[in-house]
Amino acid sequence: MNYRKLGKTNFNISEIALGTWQVGGKWGSPFNDKAADDLINTAIDNGVNFIDTADVYENGLSETAVGRVVRSRSERIFVATKCGRHINPHVNEGYQPKVLQKFVEDSLKRSGLETLDLIQLHCPPTEVYYRPEIFELFDRLKEQGKIQNLGVSVEKVEEGLKAIEYPNVTTVQIIFNLFRQRPSELFFKEAQKKDIGIIARVPVASGLLTGLFDAKTIFGAQDHRNFNRNGAAFDKGETFSGIDYELGLKAVGELKKLFPEAKNLAPIALQWILTFNEISCIIPGASKASHVESNLSVYDLPKLTPEKILAMNAIYEDYIKPQVHQLW
């Protein structure tokens, strides 16, 4: 495992971390505590020391599992969680300091942790980024010892740029992968100037970049890859990075030609992200321990050559960029 600094938090974290949206079971399946514990322990056993969760993941069960495992371990494990998505309807007016404070306190209770290493606003509406009183709340929570750092998870580059204008924002979690390259332009430069930790989320485009799907793949009724392709439930960009599924399959087909020996393209997709020094860590998800091990097999691969990287980027330019680059 390699480690990188998480911006001005000064945490030294594993560059391959763990995202826990579907920990304890696949999307839409019942939560399995044993599977969750096995998965999280496997990650820690292999050097992962940064775990990202959220209060809405499995309605709090993900936070509970993360806290339970972390408290059972002797290693220093950094825990990041998120708040805000319980607000229903999820609109600007619902974001109030007293509401967010209650979310933070509930996360502490569920996880059993004394303090949260990183609390992140969970993809709030764009208007929230223009309300200083929301960001000021977290200074008070830090003074009270309830949190150590504030970050944001964003949908759009513009939201990330606005968020880092607040001096207490230490990290930005943003969708970044081979099929979502816009953040590497202006945002990466501005974030680096302010020593902002960049957490790359949705790194394999909801599994599309594994190369394991085809036109006949069936996703469960409760799987967002089934019901949210057009943004019916939340931002379309969360599902397959907002790419038309059939178009994505064509682009992945070209990737397979570049790496004919690869049975699973996910480690290669992660390896591509790690070529960006501005990235602090990647948070690939996993629903079982073998997925964690697959993600960490990135270290078993030969280094990507400049020629391969150029060819990968050309696939983005030809297939993906005209459709989605300007949207997020």
Side-chain angles (χ1 to χ4, degrees), residues 178-179 204 207-217 245-269 304 308 311-316 319:
L178 182 61
F179 288 174
V204 292
L208 185 60
L209 281 165
T210 64
L212 301 177
F213 303 159
D214 60 30
K216 296 180 181 179
T217 301
Y245 183 63
E246 287 72 25
L247 176 65
L249 290 178
K250 290 179 182 177
V252 169
E254 295 301 312
L255 271 179
K256 289 181 176 180
K257 293 176 186 177
L258 270 181
F259 301 95
E261 73 288 351
K263 294 180 180 178
N264 182 348
L265 293 170
I268 294 168
L304 285 175
K308 288 281 191 181
M312 294 169 78
N313 290 337
I315 294 170
Y316 173 76
Y319 286 84

Side-chain angles (χ1 to χ4, degrees), residues 39 73 127 131 140 143 154 171 197 211 217 252 282 326:
L39 190 158
R73 303 287 301 223
E127 300 94 323
R131 295 174 56 195
R140 296 198 296 276
E143 290 168 3
V154 302
T171 66
T217 301
V252 169
I282 309 172
Q326 75 283 4

Side-chain angles (χ1 to χ4, degrees), residues 28-85:
S29 66
F31 191 86
N32 184 313
D33 286 299
K34 183 181 184 304
D37 288 8
D38 288 348
L39 190 158
I40 297 167
N41 276 308
T42 296
I44 296 172
D45 289 344
N46 283 278
V48 170
N49 72 347
F50 183 83
I51 301 174
D52 177 79
T53 185
D55 55 4
V56 292
Y57 293 171
E58 296 289 346
N59 199 29
L61 293 176
S62 175
E63 279 187 329
T64 300
V66 169
R68 180 173 63 242
V69 175
V70 167
R71 286 184 284 110
S72 75
R73 303 287 301 223
S74 61
E75 301 91 336
R76 174 64 167 108
I77 309 299
F78 300 98
V79 175
T81 191
K82 312 183 200 74
C83 65
R85 291 309 294 258

Side-chain angles (χ1 to χ4, degrees), residues 18-25 39 284-289 291-292 295:
L18 178 65
T20 61
W21 186 358
Q22 71 271 42
V23 75
L39 190 158
S287 59
K288 50 187 178 182
H291 294 163
V292 173
N295 292 333

Side-chain angles (χ1 to χ4, degrees), residues 83-85 87-97 99-100 103 120-138 150-156 158-166 168-169:
C83 65
R85 291 309 294 258
I87 295 169
N88 187 19
H90 189 236
V91 294
N92 174 45
E93 292 75 15
Y95 276 75
Q96 301 297 330
V99 172
L100 293 169
F103 288 155
Q120 302 156 102
L121 290 173
H122 198 173
C123 299
T126 303
E127 300 94 323
V128 172
Y129 296 94
Y130 291 83
R131 295 174 56 195
E133 76 275 15
I134 296 299
F135 291 82
E136 288 167 1
L137 161 71
F138 295 92
L150 170 65
V152 295
S153 181
V154 302
E155 299 289 4
K156 300 178 180 179
E158 289 79 7
E159 294 167 347
L161 290 170
K162 182 61 184 175
I164 64 176
E165 292 181 8
Y166 295 97
N168 64 342
V169 170

